[in-house]
């Protein structure tokens, strides 16, 4: 989750990291030397790495300093970096203190990536980041109130989706395809991988395309599902909803009756196609099919269900 | 990390008196897993469904001889729970908790690696050998005895595919959920290595998604060491890059983290990559 440039600058400055204010301009003549410095998570190695590159070097000449997750960044590792950069001895002390402070802030803010580009030595002797980019861990926002505040201020999640306003990464709206006359379908599933598979299956029909992705999590209850569907149905320019539900801790047949009730309500106007799989799927499928509601259909098998959802949406768009 | 599983191993549940931990413990007991007790700090001396509750993992291990722990505690407590299990000399730890702050997960996994402890997860459903043992969160009723080894990052996709396998009369030799996060303990390669040496496994299903490069390493392993047929499904073909799709960290930030790149790498390694989840079972059934 990326913070805005102004939020990043504010958070760093508050913690004593020198970053150029937005309303200040530095000329090339004022800069003596510049490098790129980055702290980032190397997921494959399971550790953070410090990357450094000078303005004169090719990308393949990046210095890579792995940081032990249990021990943190050592002073000697920054000495190694200073030596590699061939810094004059007079600049070492300030540089080492700066980099160690940056690492401490990176850790303290639960950042996943902190890029200082460029980090510049000015001719007046100051060490200053002229640009900064920070990605933070959304799983840690509850213990980062300042970071969370900045994210809430910048959030674009629709007001009509309060259920996901606190977990915006589980609701992803897809851009409308310019000039496309295909209907749009909202994809909802109880699992992130499952929701991605649902979007894939729908788009593969080439009849309709996914308007959004909404993951309810694999522990979603019937109440969560209904609440999400009510709010998802209010999304603009939507022609149908496609729910893919795999029964496990909550079986599909626990969901079928509430879904029937939802779609029988006088105010319900959105076509809903449900694909059931897993525990209770055959019974749930049978119950929905036997009800023969106009606004609710159930189909087994993801590909078949996606095709039906696309055709329903196409019919809805034609009727509009 | 190595997946060595003793079907008779005594299993502890860290967080057994919590709603989620208690639910998982009951599900595992119903499957026949040897749950020997649980741990909840401050609740030592209580009982849960006939199993003793201990204050610490160390006390629980000394009292029960447990060798495996299932961690089902809130996200903020999960890393500490892993540290505690490792310090109590447990070498097989299944962490089903999702949404753990990444820095916590990285530190806990590093500590486990230092002590040669195997962690499944965090955020995976654990491991199930159908008809034998179920350690973690896999819904037992979707497991069927058979000869297909299943390894997955996505939890509900694995449920869906195993369910469909059952409908088509197919079963599994082992089902392993390694978690969808950017960092994980047991990897695809660790599990594939186990499947290669397992005489009960004749075919392999690999369920991946966009984000990270675990599937690329799996493809390299299969190309170099694979002798058994592998069918894969990778979710996220139509997903946009730079967009995070879940708490677990499904996000492709580099070109090699996209579903397309993974599909190409797996196909180049001789893996059949299905376009839909149901095509996986169709192919397994001989289609």
């Amino acid at each position: 989750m990326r913070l805005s440039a102004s939020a990043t600058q504010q958070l760093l400055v508050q913690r004593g990291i020198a970053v150029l204010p937005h309303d200040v301009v530095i000329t090339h003549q004022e800069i003596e030397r510049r490098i790129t410095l980055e702290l980032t998570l190397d997921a494959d190695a399971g550790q953070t790495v410090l990357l450094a590159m000078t303005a004169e070097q090719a990308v393949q000449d990046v210095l890579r300093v792995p940081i032990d997750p249990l021990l943190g960044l050592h002073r000697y590792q920054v000495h190694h970096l200073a030596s590699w950069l061939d810094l004059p001895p007079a600049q070492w002390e300030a540089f080492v203190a700066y980099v160690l402070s940056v690492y401490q802030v990176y850790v303290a803010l639960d950042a996943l990536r902190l890029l200082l580009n460029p980090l510049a030595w000015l001719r007046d002797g100051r060490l200053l980041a002229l640009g900064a980019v920070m990605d933070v861990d959304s799983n840690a926002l509850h213990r980062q109130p300042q970071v969370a505040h900045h994210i809430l201020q910048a959030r674009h999640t629709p007001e009509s989706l309060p259920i996901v306003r606190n977990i915006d990464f589980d609701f992803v709206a897809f851009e409308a395809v310019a000039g496309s006359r295909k209907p749009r379908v909202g994809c909802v599933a109880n699992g992130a991988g499952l929701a991605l598979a649902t979007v894939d299956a729908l788009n593969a029909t080439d009849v309709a395309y996914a308007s959004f992705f909404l993951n309810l999590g694999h522990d979603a209850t019937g109440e969560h599902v209904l609440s999400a569907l009510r709010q998802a149905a209010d999304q603009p320019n939507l022609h149908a909803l496609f729910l893919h539900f795999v029964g496990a801790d909550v079986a599909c047949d626990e969901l079928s009756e509430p879904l029937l009730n939802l779609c029988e309500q006088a105010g319900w106007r959105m076509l809903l196609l449900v694909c059931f799989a897993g525990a209770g799927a055959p019974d749930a499928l049978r119950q929905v099919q036997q009800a023969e509601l106009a606004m609710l259909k159930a189909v087994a098998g993801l590909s078949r269900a996606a095709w039906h959802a696309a055709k329903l949406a196409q019919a809805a768009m034609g009727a509009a | 990390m190595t997946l060595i599983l003793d079907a008779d191993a005594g299993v502890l549940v860290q967080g057994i008196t919590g709603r989620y931990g208690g639910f998982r413990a009951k599900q595992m007991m119903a499957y026949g897993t040897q749950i020997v007790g649980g741990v909840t700090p401050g609740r030592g001396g209580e009982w849960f469904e006939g199993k003793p509750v201990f204050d610490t993992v160390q006390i629980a291990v000394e009292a029960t001889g447990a060798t495996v722990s299932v961690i089902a505690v809130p996200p903020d407590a999960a890393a500490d729970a892993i540290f505690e299990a490792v310090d109590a000399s447990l070498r097989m730890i299944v962490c089903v908790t999702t949404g753990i702050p990444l820095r916590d997960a990285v530190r806990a996994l590093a500590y486990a690696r230092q002590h040669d402890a195997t962690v499944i997860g965090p955020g995976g459903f654990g491991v199930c050998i159908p008809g034998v043992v179920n350690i973690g969160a896999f819904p037992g009723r979707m497991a069927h005895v058979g000869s297909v080894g299943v390894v997955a990052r996505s939890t509900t996709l694995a449920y869906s595919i195993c369910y469909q396998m059952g409908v088509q009369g197919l079963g599994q030799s082992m089902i392993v959920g390694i978690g969808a996060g950017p960092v994980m303990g047991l990897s695809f390669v660790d599990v594939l290595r186990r499947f290669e040496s397992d005489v009960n496994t004749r075919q392999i299903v690999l369920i991946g998604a966009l984000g990270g490069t675990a599937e690329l390493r799996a493809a390299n392993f299969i190309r170099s060491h694979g002798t058994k047929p592998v069918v894969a499904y990778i979710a996220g073909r139509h997903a946009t890059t730079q967009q995070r799709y879940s708490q677990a960290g499904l996000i492709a930030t580099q070109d090699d983290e996209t579903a397309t790149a993974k599909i190409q790498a797996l196909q180049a390694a001789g893996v059949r990559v299905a376009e839909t989840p149901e095509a996986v079972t169709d192919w397994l059934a001989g289609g």
Side-chain angles (χ1 to χ4, degrees):
Chain A
M1 187 173 283
R2 181 155 299 173
L3 293 179
S4 67
S6 61
T8 301
Q9 195 257 1
Q10 195 177 326
L11 288 164
L12 293 177
V13 170
Q14 282 171 351
R15 286 157 182 78
I17 307 297
V19 182
L20 182 72
H22 284 295
D23 53 353
V24 175
V25 177
I26 296 279
T27 63
H28 283 291
Q29 288 73 21
E30 293 175 78
I31 299 170
E32 181 183 319
R33 188 177 187 192
R34 62 172 79 190
I35 65 166
T36 300
L37 200 69
E38 180 175 356
L39 285 160
T40 192
L41 176 72
D42 180 346
D44 292 348
Q47 62 186 177
T48 292
V49 289
L50 173 64
L51 305 170
M53 186 171 68
T54 67
E56 303 79 32
Q57 286 168 319
V59 174
Q60 62 268 29
D61 291 329
V62 171
L63 178 70
R64 190 176 183 281
V65 181
I67 302 172
D68 188 309
L70 298 169
L71 301 176
L73 180 64
H74 294 285
R75 184 173 285 270
Y76 81 85
Q77 292 178 296
V78 191
H79 290 162
H80 177 59
L81 173 57
S83 172
W84 183 78
L85 291 167
D86 204 17
L87 286 185
Q91 291 181 348
W92 276 46
E93 189 179 337
F95 178 70
V96 170
Y98 187 93
V99 174
L100 289 173
S101 296
V102 168
Y103 176 72
Q104 283 164 7
V105 171
Y106 171 86
V107 171
L109 292 178
D110 278 300
L112 300 180
R113 179 173 181 248
L114 177 52
L115 172 68
L116 303 180
N117 187 27
L119 174 63
W121 282 266
L122 305 186
R123 296 200 187 279
D124 63 10
R126 283 184 295 158
L127 182 58
L128 190 67
L130 305 188
V133 174
M134 183 155 58
D135 295 336
V136 294
D137 181 5
S138 47
N139 286 345
L141 288 184
H142 61 283
R143 64 188 187 195
Q144 299 292 349
Q146 276 190 303
V147 175
H149 171 74
H150 284 293
I151 286 169
L152 280 171
Q153 280 192 324
R155 138 182 337 272
H156 301 299
T157 307
E159 289 294 324
S160 57
L161 274 173
I163 192 172
V164 293
R165 286 184 69 208
N166 290 324
I167 47 169
D168 63 346
F169 35 85
D170 281 344
F171 175 84
V172 179
F174 298 111
E175 298 268 328
V177 179
S180 172
R181 297 176 61 83
K182 292 178 190 171
R184 304 186 72 191
V185 177
C187 295
V188 184
N190 60 331
L194 196 73
L196 284 172
T198 308
V199 169
D200 287 346
L202 185 88
N203 286 354
T205 65
D206 211 26
V207 173
Y209 63 89
S211 173
F212 60 79
F213 157 112
L214 177 54
N215 165 32
L216 305 176
H218 58 79
D219 53 355
T221 63
E223 195 179 325
H224 289 138
V225 174
L226 293 190
S227 175
L229 288 175
R230 282 194 198 96
Q231 294 162 54
D234 288 338
Q235 290 299 291
N237 304 317
L238 194 65
H239 300 99
L241 283 173
F242 181 14
L243 169 65
H244 189 184
F245 191 87
V246 174
D249 296 342
V250 176
C252 294
D253 51 359
E254 294 175 51
L255 196 62
S256 48
E257 194 171 322
L259 284 175
L260 289 168
N261 292 336
L262 174 76
C263 294
E264 278 180 323
Q265 288 171 3
W268 184 259
R269 295 274 183 274
M270 184 59 64
L271 283 164
L272 173 59
L273 190 293
V274 184
C275 175
F276 287 121
D283 287 343
L285 197 66
R286 190 165 48 249
Q287 285 166 18
V288 171
Q289 288 173 342
Q290 284 176 352
E292 296 184 343
L293 297 187
M295 303 306 283
L296 176 63
K297 305 292 176 194
V299 175
L302 178 57
S303 298
R304 282 185 62 230
W307 179 254
H308 278 78
K311 297 303 279 185
L312 279 177
Q314 194 177 44
M317 188 167 81
Chain B
M1 293 184 175
T2 313
L3 180 55
I4 299 172
L5 208 58
D6 174 3
D8 298 321
V11 178
L12 286 177
V13 178
Q14 291 175 253
I16 196 168
T17 57
R19 187 184 63 84
Y20 185 63
F23 179 74
R24 296 271 69 100
K26 284 187 210 171
Q27 295 287 308
M28 285 187 280
M29 282 189 263
Y31 202 83
T33 303
Q34 295 299 314
I35 302 294
V36 295
V39 176
T40 302
R43 302 282 291 270
E46 296 183 14
W47 293 81
F48 177 88
E49 299 285 323
K51 306 296 178 186
V53 180
F54 301 92
D55 282 325
T56 71
V57 177
Q58 186 66 49
I59 297 170
V61 168
E62 288 167 3
T64 65
T67 56
V68 177
S69 178
V70 173
I71 293 174
V73 301
D76 263 350
D80 193 63
I82 294 173
F83 280 113
E84 185 181 3
V86 172
D87 281 344
S89 301
L90 294 179
R91 293 295 172 262
M92 177 59 73
I93 299 160
V94 176
C95 182
V96 297
T97 302
T98 57
I100 301 174
L102 208 51
R103 185 168 313 287
D104 297 0
V106 165
R107 294 181 73 244
L109 291 173
Y111 193 67
R113 272 194 297 271
Q114 274 186 6
H115 292 78
D116 291 326
T118 293
V119 177
I120 303 181
F125 56 75
V127 56
C128 176
I129 300 176
V132 179
V133 69
N134 188 6
I135 302 175
F138 192 82
R141 53 186 163 176
M142 289 194 207
H144 308 274
V145 177
S147 61
V148 182
V150 178
V151 58
R153 285 176 66 200
S154 166
T155 296
T156 38
L157 265 178
Y159 295 174
S160 175
I161 287 173
C162 289
Y163 168 78
Q164 193 59 35
M165 287 173 69
V167 170
Q168 294 189 226
L170 299 163
Q172 305 86 22
S173 56
M174 186 184 291
I175 311 158
V176 187
I178 59 175
V183 294
M184 58 187 81
L186 199 73
S187 69
F188 272 133
V189 171
D190 296 328
V191 180
L192 290 171
R193 192 175 287 123
R194 164 71 191 242
F195 287 163
E196 279 293 332
S197 65
D198 178 25
V199 292
N200 296 320
T201 300
R202 290 207 286 270
Q203 290 171 295
I204 296 168
V205 170
L206 184 150
I207 304 165
L210 85 170
T213 55
E215 291 85 350
L216 302 183
R217 292 195 298 281
N220 284 337
F221 175 84
I222 293 165
R223 192 204 314 260
S224 309
H225 302 95
T227 62
K228 299 181 180 179
V230 182
V231 178
Y233 175 76
I234 306 295
R237 288 168 188 251
H238 293 88
T240 45
T241 55
Q242 302 298 339
Q243 175 64 57
R244 183 170 172 147
Y245 285 91
S246 80
Q247 288 185 69
L250 295 179
I251 175 172
T253 55
Q254 312 284 339
D255 287 346
D256 61 354
E257 296 182 34
T258 62
T260 303
K262 295 175 180 198
I263 289 166
Q264 288 169 350
L266 288 163
Q267 286 174 331
V271 175
R272 293 183 80 178
V273 183
E275 288 201 13
T276 62
E278 60 258 51
V280 171
T281 45
D282 290 343
W283 282 353
L284 290 171

